[in-house]
Every structure is written in structure tokens, then in C-alpha cells.
Amino acid sequence: MFYADTIIIGGGASGLMSAISASNSGCKVILLEKNNRIGKKILVTGNGRCNYTNILLTKNDYNHPFYVEKVFEGFGTQNTIDLFESFGIVPKVENDGKTFPLSEQASSFLDVFLYELSLRKNIEVFLNKEVIKIQKNKDGFYVRTFDNNIYSAKTVILCAGGKSMPLTGSDGSGYSLAENLGHSISAVFPALVKLKVDSPYLKQLSGVKINSQIDLMVNDRIYQSEYGDILFTNYGISGPTVLELSRKANEFLNKNVSPILRVIIIQEISKSKIIERMENFANREVSQALIGLVNKRLISVLIKEAGIAKTNTLVKDVESKNLYKLIDLMYDWRFKVIGSLGFDDSQVTAGGVKVNEINNETLESLIIPGLFFAGEVMDIDGRCGGYNLQWAWSSGYIAGRSAASRCQGN
Ligand SMILES: Cc1cc2nc3c(=O)[nH]c(=O)nc-3n(C[C@H](O)[C@H](O)[C@H](O)COP(=O)(O)OP(=O)(O)OC[C@H]3O[C@@H](n4cnc5c(N)ncnc54)[C@H](O)[C@@H]3O)c2cc1C
């Protein structure tokens, strides 16, 4: 049997931050990680550059704004930047507030964590330790691992992550551990994920990238709009804009409603100007009339979708209803969403341990005193752009500090 003040389950972003934070108060910390190394997921974040926070963060970038607000008041973006800077990470702020290490290497985070852990003699890291059971006892907890070791502590912080990219270790086991202790889990589904759409043109469109507006709609009502890069793939639509829309799209799909993605290819020119252009180009082939206006690889698809049989038909010979349809498509091109890729391809998991069962000042369970939560295992997810790691750092810091203070009897 191994003893500590606090046992942290999971050595990802939130677990590592919890360990540092709890150790600051001098309490003895054991960190149990099922992989043979810590922080596997951190390495793949931000395309290997780790977009570790966002200086423009607001509570509204998350699914439970008022819940996260309290946590960020306790440890926010600037605290995170300052703490990592004290570890050696120099921040580099890019577009839209996205913040990366100046080294542009996610591995810098792992290196500084390993160094910090080596300095703190009150943290013991155990690798290859998959936790299979947490049991509450009179004075605290017993934690059992797959290889039948038992660890005992006054407090436990569950930082086992969600279900996204299970190859990095987060396979959803945190939910069962929490459920076994009486916590409820709200439905989990992939978020920040590519969407599948129903379209006969996907093969032709695959690889085309445009910069435009995309709306998520149901019954002609717009639920969310994003502007930026859109990438057509052989199964659907991807790109940062679509990742942002994917959470809401999956919410609808979970209710058996197929939402629509409306792509607005042209925003800069009015419809009347395009009509005028078509009149001026009446003697050109319709495909030629679109050159310079829209991405060349979209032209034949748009012509087909408008019901025009041949791309070399002269503009003046196109039936007016088809010509208007062609022009309308540039402002309103609809794709039915039929699904998303799965957890393997998602950046974050929506849903998780219900937040109304966790105190947002301390991140302590309202059901089991001495049990704390941090990171993606909770029903918190944010936008793409540094928000999910910031949640892991902030919640990890608060949970670690609160657990330590409970151990010291405060
Ligand atoms: C490809 C990709 C890119 C991303 N890029 C960004 C980005 O640039 N910016 C951003 O803000 N967010 C990004 N994210 C999201 C972000 O990485 C996560 O939200 C964050 O890492 C969650 O931290 P966590 O500590 O809660 O969980 P995780 O990092 O998943 O860590 C959980 C840890 O717990 C361990 N574990 C699980 N179960 C057990 C068990 N039973 N016993 C012991 N150990 C266990 C796992 O092995 C894992 O190490 C990205 C995600 C992905 C998949």
C-alpha cells in the first residue's frame, strides 16, 4: 500500500497542473498515469505547437459560461501565462489571441513539467498504472490499479480526461470511475470534429479550400455562423469553421435532426452585380463567366447543381431559372449534415461529469467530500483556439490547491 495526501488520476494537462498546484502547499502527491509516459495528448495539441491558451478568452467561449467564470476568476489566462513563464515558456500571441510557446514546440511543455516534477520531492509519479476503482473510506480513499496495487490518500483528484483521441490514454474510463462513486454523466459526444455531409459532389470537391462564411441551420433558422477556412473532403466538410460548428451539429444529430451547413461563397459583391456580370458575359461559356469570381474547382459542380447540363453552354442560352439558381448558390449553398467523425478524430469531448454536482469554487464533489475533478472529464468544453487547455490548467490548478488545503484541514 502506498500513502499520500492527494492522489491524482491522470497525467495529462489537468493532472500535471493539479500535481504542481497541490505540491505548492507542501502536501504529498501521488500521480497515477496509465500510459508509459505523462502528457501524451499535450504533444499533439496545436498541430505540435500547443495552443496553450487564448488571451481573448471569455466565459462565453464555453458550454457552461457561469460555471467556468468562477474557476477562471480563481486562476485565469494571465495566471497561466505567468506560471508557465516562470517555468521557462515564453508566450507568443498570434491571431485571435491564440497563444503558443515561442519555441513553437508542444514538447516544451512536457520538458518543463518533467523538470518541475523532478524539483518537487513531494510528488511521486507512477507510470503504467491504470486506475480501475476508487473507494471511499472513513478517512479518505483507496485507489486500486489494474496491476492490483492499492494507493491510499485523504483526497483524490480525477483528471482522466474525456474520450477524444483514446490513443493518448483518455478512453472514457474517468466517467465510470466517477459514476461508481455516485456521480452522473451527461451524454458524451465528439466536439471540435469534422462533419459528414450528404452530397454527390464530394469526390470532385475533395481538397478544395475556400475562405467564406458557413452557417449551421435547422428549418431555415441560423443557429451558429462562422467565417474562415472551409475544406471539402471526400466524406464532408472540415476546417476550423466546421470544427466550431460541430458541437451544435452533433447536438442536433443526437436528437435525430439533420442540420444544414450553408456555405456563402460570395460576400463581397451584391447579387445585382453578379447579374450584371452575367449580362455583360452573355456570349461567354457559363464556366468561363465564373472564372475569377469563384474557386475554379467549384465551377463545374455549381453549374451541375444549378441544373445546367453543359459547362460550355453560353450564358445567353442558359434558362433564366437555372441562371438565377446558379447565382443563388453562390450566396446559399446547402449541405445536409449526416454525421461526424468519431472520438478518434475529435479534439474534445462534450458532456461528462455533471457540473451541478461539483462546487465551482473548489472543484470538490458535492456528493463525495474529498473527491475533486479537473479537465475534460467534467462536462465542460470550449471553442477551438486554446480554450480547452486553458480549462485543463485552470481547473487543475484550483482542484490541486483545494485538495491540498483540505488535507491541511483548512
Ligand atoms: C489532436 C488534438 C489537438 C488539440 N489541440 C488543442 C490546442 O491546441 N489547444 C487547446 O486548448 N486544446 C487542444 N486540444 C484539447 C486538449 O488537448 C484537451 O482538452 C486537454 O488535453 C484535456 O486535458 P485533460 O488533462 O483533461 O485530459 P487528457 O490530456 O486527455 O489527460 C488524461 C490523462 O489521464 C490518463 N488516464 C485516463 N484514464 C486513466 C485511468 N483509469 N488511470 C490512470 N490514468 C488514466 C490518460 O492516459 C491521460 O494521460 C486538442 C486535442 C486533440 C485531440
Side-chain angles (χ1 to χ4, degrees), residues 83-96:
L83 181 67
F84 281 122
E85 201 148 18
S86 76
F87 291 174
I89 303 279
V90 178
K92 179 182 183 216
V93 181
E94 293 191 359
N95 302 340
D96 310 322

Side-chain angles (χ1 to χ4, degrees), residues 9-15 32-35 37-42 44-47 50-53 100 129-132 159-162 164-165 168-174 177 346-348 374-377 383 385-390 392:
I9 301 171
S14 63
L32 301 173
E33 166 55 54
K34 71 184 250 200
N35 286 332
R37 61 191 294 187
I38 54 165
K40 232 176 161 180
K41 190 177 280 176
I42 296 175
V44 299
T45 57
N47 288 323
C50 189
N51 177 192
Y52 71 105
T53 186
F100 299 84
K129 296 291 175 191
E130 181 180 358
V131 172
I132 53 167
C159 303
S164 297
M165 225 188 182
T168 60
S170 51
D171 58 1
S173 67
L177 291 170
S346 74
Q347 286 196 14
V348 75
E376 216 177 295
V377 71
R383 287 172 67 88
Y387 302 96
N388 290 296
L389 276 172
Q390 183 58 59

Side-chain angles (χ1 to χ4, degrees), residues 280-299:
N280 290 340
F281 291 165
N283 290 317
R284 293 192 187 184
E285 291 181 359
V286 64
S287 56
Q288 185 62 36
L290 298 183
I291 294 280
L293 183 64
V294 298
N295 184 305
K296 192 172 179 179
R297 286 191 55 200
L298 296 181
I299 292 178

Side-chain angles (χ1 to χ4, degrees), residues 3-57:
Y3 298 94
D5 293 312
T6 298
I7 293 174
I8 294 167
I9 301 171
S14 63
L16 291 166
M17 187 56 104
S18 296
I20 300 280
S21 165
S23 82
N24 284 344
S25 321
C27 76
K28 183 170 176 340
V29 177
I30 284 181
L31 188 149
L32 301 173
E33 166 55 54
K34 71 184 250 200
N35 286 332
N36 60 2
R37 61 191 294 187
I38 54 165
K40 232 176 161 180
K41 190 177 280 176
I42 296 175
L43 289 176
V44 299
T45 57
N47 288 323
R49 293 171 66 216
C50 189
N51 177 192
Y52 71 105
T53 186
N54 193 303
I55 58 160
L56 303 179
L57 177 150

